[in-house]
Structure formats: C-alpha cells, structure tokens
Amino acid sequence: MIPHSKNIKVFTGNANPALAQGICDCLGLKLGEAEISVFQDGEISCSIFETVRGADVFLVNSTCMPVNNNLMELLIMTDACKRASAGRITVVVPYFGYARQDRKTKPRDPISGKLVANLISAAGANRVLTMDLHCPQLQGFFDLPVDNLVGSPIFVRYYMDKLGEERFDMVVASPDVGSVSRARAFAGKMSMPLAIVDKRREQANKSEVMNIIGDVKGKRVILFDDMVDTAGSMCNAAAALMEIGGATEVFACASHAVMSGPAVKRLTESVISELVVLDTIPVRAELPMLTTLPVAPVFAEAIERTYYEISISDLFR
C-alpha cells in the first residue's frame, strides 16, 4: 500500500500526446481525460474531467516549440491538480527547455533555468522526471527531487543491433568539449575509442571548427550529442571529421530533435549518413536519413518505479 496515494493517473498537454499515450500503453493504463485549450486572447485553459484526489499524478509535457505555451500548459495542469488535492504530482518533461540558460555569460544575463525551476516548484510539483538535461547541474536548481534519465542505453541497443562486430573499428566523437562526458560514457558502453571536435563559438548558434583531437583517419564515426537544434554544430563537426580528420563516414545521434531554423536544410546538405534521435519531441521533419527511437518504455518504467517507491538508478546506466 502506497501511503501518499490510492491510484495512478497520467495526463498530457499538447506538446507530445503520442508519447504520453505510448507511456500509458506500456503501463496498461488509460490516458487521463483532460483538455488543454486556448482562449481567443491566447490564455491557456485547463479542464481535468476525472477525480485526482489523493492520486499519484504524472503530467507529461515536453517544453519544446512552442516552448512558452507548453511550459504554461505544464504549470497550469500542475496548479489544477494541486488545487484538486492530488496526493503527489510528478511533472514528466522528456525535453526540458531553458536548460541551456544555466549561468550568466555576460552582465545582466538572466538564469532562466533557475526561474523555470522555481515556477515548477511554485505551481505545486513534488518531483520532476526528465531525460538528458543539457546541463545536468540544473538538477541543483530545484528544491525537490529530480530524476534525469539518460537516453544513451537506447542508442547503445540500436547501434549494437545495427553494427554488431563492425563497431570495434569505429570511433565515437563529441561535437564539442562540453559534450565530452556524455560521449565518453557512450563510447565506453560501445567499446569504441573517443575523439573530440575542438571548436570556437563566435556567437549563439554559430561555431567555427578548429581541429580534431583523436584519430579518426579511415574510420567510420558516430557523432554523439544531447540535442540537435539548428544543426550547425553537428553538421560542421561532421564535415570537419571527414575533411580534417579523414573519416570515411559519419553517423550522428542526439536525444532531442529540436530542429529549429535551418536545421532541415543543413542536415539535408550535410555529409551525415544517418541521424538517430529519440521521440522526446515530436519529430515533424521529413528527412530520408532520419531514424526515430521510442522513449515511452523507459519513462513508463521510471513512472512505475516511482509509483511503487522502487529505486530507478538502474535506468541511469
């Protein structure tokens, strides 16, 4: 018997309802009945059509484009459940927006990641469940438990099945120094060496590649990152691996397919043979080289373990 709740409820906003339904299918649950609508002036309205009193409630909504609308949906759903006397509220944010704004880089900069953490706490959330935060230290911005799942095991299984023994003659590359730790962990699981693309960033969403650290000459390479936004860094890194490093083929994978601005055009014209992403964000781009992997089973297991008060640390490995 769980002391803080009588049953489990899963609701979703409009960011990624297909993922929420996939989670419910894995759990054998019916997706909660709710409607998130918008008034004529743009204000968001939330109506929950079933009782949540004393329930263990999980609210699924990625803060992807349109970021502010989806964030407000999450906050308003949380407030509605809190006022309806939910036993515990866990916000499930597969892709956590504003995570890149985690520090001041120049005078009078906001730290928007901390602001969003405060808003989620103030709305009434009791814990947060997310995946591959751009800056893991964002967990420290919250005064409540944060479970930051990792997507690398999903990629490991995919490439193990796809490459088999071929992987022992391949290299994992980090597109920049900031992604080295996650790329190193992935390379370790794949039993592959690591290379780093060293670059200097001149301004936001623009980068200049400098050199390759590591040996990729004559090798096939997997570029590993947490997100692909405008795809500038990824495409430049892929080009540098082939032109400067002498790689023969470049694959790429990223947990979050933000795909904003010129991303589709850049990827289409890039040297990348295949881009593998997770469906933490609805993938609307039509690219022949794009492969999407599901995250619903991982989140379903995390939710089930949270509900039954079982450790979820195994899901971080």
Side-chain angles (χ1 to χ4, degrees):
M1 179 65 182
I2 298 175
H4 59 263
S5 69
K6 293 181 289 188
N7 52 16
I8 181 172
K9 304 275 187 176
V10 179
F11 296 95
T12 184
N14 295 315
N16 199 347
L19 174 56
Q21 184 61 61
I23 292 171
C24 287
D25 291 343
C26 292
L27 291 170
L29 296 174
K30 179 176 177 293
L31 186 62
E33 295 183 18
E35 181 182 20
I36 312 298
S37 56
V38 181
F39 292 115
Q40 289 293 323
D41 64 353
E43 290 182 9
I44 293 169
S45 171
C46 172
S47 298
I48 295 177
F49 301 121
E50 55 187 87
T51 180
V52 297
R53 182 176 294 272
D56 206 351
V57 175
F58 294 85
L59 305 175
V60 183
N61 219 42
S62 282
T63 50
C64 52
M65 292 186 291
V67 178
N68 297 326
N69 276 21
N70 289 328
L71 175 60
M72 281 304 300
E73 287 184 6
L74 185 65
L75 297 174
I76 290 171
M77 284 193 297
T78 303
D79 182 73
C81 291
K82 177 185 178 183
R83 295 178 186 278
S85 301
R88 180 173 63 178
I89 303 170
T90 301
V91 295
V92 182
V93 194
Y95 167 70
F96 196 103
Y98 287 105
R100 285 174 284 184
Q101 300 183 41
D102 66 317
R103 65 193 184 280
K104 293 183 68 172
T105 57
K106 61 181 186 297
R108 294 169 296 282
D109 264 3
I111 304 181
S112 304
K114 173 60 175 171
L115 173 61
V116 172
N118 289 344
L119 289 171
I120 290 174
S121 299
N126 299 112
R127 65 186 306 124
V128 176
L129 180 60
T130 186
M131 176 173 278
D132 284 335
L133 285 170
H134 184 70
C135 298
Q137 62 266 28
L138 195 70
Q139 295 173 83
F141 291 2
F142 288 87
D143 295 321
L144 47 85
V146 178
D147 294 315
N148 182 28
L149 304 178
V150 291
S152 60
I154 303 174
F155 292 120
V156 169
R157 285 192 293 271
Y158 174 78
Y159 284 115
M160 287 283 195
D161 293 339
K162 177 184 176 71
L163 301 172
E165 298 297 316
E166 294 178 27
R167 72 182 189 279
F168 294 120
D169 195 39
M170 296 179 66
V171 178
V172 171
S174 171
D176 54 43
V177 175
S179 298
V180 169
S181 60
R182 61 172 62 93
R184 182 184 292 115
F186 176 69
K189 293 172 184 175
M190 293 291 294
S191 300
M192 295 164 60
L194 177 69
I196 302 168
V197 180
D198 182 33
K199 68 183 183 183
R200 182 175 67 241
R201 185 178 294 276
E202 302 293 342
Q203 54 184 295
N205 294 328
K206 292 185 179 180
S207 61
E208 178 183 353
V209 174
M210 302 300 290
N211 62 296
I212 308 298
I213 302 171
D215 182 18
V216 298
K217 187 174 181 61
K219 302 286 187 178
R220 299 162 75 199
V221 179
I222 300 176
L223 263 176
F224 187 83
D225 207 355
D226 68 311
M227 71 168 68
V228 51
D229 186 358
T230 61
S233 294
M234 182 169 283
C235 293
N236 289 343
L241 286 165
M242 296 192 73
E243 295 168 9
I244 300 174
T248 58
E249 188 175 20
V250 178
F251 303 97
C253 58
S255 299
H256 310 299
V258 179
M259 307 286 270
S260 61
V264 173
K265 183 175 184 294
R266 285 174 173 171
L267 288 167
T268 302
E269 297 172 352
S270 75
V271 298
I272 296 172
S273 299
E274 180 188 38
L275 172 62
V276 184
V277 299
L278 305 180
D279 62 352
T280 57
I281 297 174
V283 181
R284 300 184 177 91
E286 294 184 4
L287 288 168
M289 35 88 89
L290 186 65
T291 300
T292 305
L293 305 178
V295 296
V298 178
F299 277 97
E301 185 172 355
I303 288 172
E304 185 174 23
R305 287 173 177 242
T306 300
Y307 177 73
Y308 286 111
E309 303 288 2
I310 301 172
S311 171
I312 66 172
S313 59
D314 287 345
L315 300 181
F316 301 146
R317 301 192 182 101

